[in-house]
Amino acid sequence: MALWRGRTASWNLFNRLLHPPSRVPYRSLSSVAVDVHNQSMIENMKRDLLNLDINSQIGSCMPLASMRIGTIIHNIEVNPGQGGKLVRAAGTSAKILKEPKSRYCLIRLPSGVEKLIDSRCRATVGTVSNPSHGAKKLRKAGQSRWLGRRPTVRGVAMNPIDHPHGGGEGRSKSSGSYGKTSRTPWGKPCKCGYKTAKSKRRK
């Protein structure tokens, strides 16, 4: 999947169809028959291009303003011309919930969050391939090493010098002090972060 998008579409192929190159004036009957066949093919291709609904073509890349409501899309830009940033994982897709007539378009992301995105941003019609990627199971431990993943050691299995969860008797995260929350190897709370709200409610 091409994540980088060009700013303008190439019209070389379309111009070649509309204005075919000139032929040699002296031709045989076989070449004339081939040219007639090619001309008919070009006319059929031009007719199909004119009647083509580009919104229904999977893989078409266009601004959100050119799409219809209910279109399934992926590889969405956040800022116009920046390149695809959202919905790029295997098997994921987003949906247009509101007709993109204004400056912003309402999109439902795979997480269920509804987000307003600039209608000038581009997206690709369809779903990302390989939907069974998340259901794939590794046959053995060595297969995860093939993917570049190194073993993970639990903090409670370490010594107190190596991790805040280390030490103590049994599987305890407290490491000698009662009531400690789960922490990263560098001592920061890893579940909800530091408390920033005021302890007392506002009156």
Side-chain angles (χ1 to χ4, degrees), residues 57-107:
Q57 298 298 312
I58 295 176
S60 300
C61 174
M62 68 188 80
L64 295 174
S66 303
M67 297 184 182
R68 294 195 299 260
I69 184 172
T71 306
I72 302 299
I73 56 176
H74 67 276
N75 196 21
I76 309 167
E77 290 180 340
V78 178
N79 299 316
Q82 189 181 23
K85 299 293 181 183
L86 302 177
V87 195
R88 287 167 42 174
T92 56
S93 62
K95 186 176 182 180
I96 298 179
L97 300 180
K98 191 176 180 182
E99 196 73 33
K101 293 182 179 179
S102 61
R103 182 180 176 184
Y104 293 98
C105 178
L106 186 63
I107 293 176

Side-chain angles (χ1 to χ4, degrees), residues 163-183:
H163 200 280
H165 296 171
E169 297 295 331
R171 300 188 184 95
S172 63
K173 298 179 184 177
S174 61
S175 182
S177 61
Y178 179 76
K180 267 191 179 178
T181 59
S182 298
R183 295 179 181 273

Side-chain angles (χ1 to χ4, degrees), residues 23-29 31-32 35:
R23 308 294 181 184
V24 180
Y26 301 102
R27 296 170 292 181
S28 61
L29 291 176
S31 64
V32 171
D35 288 346

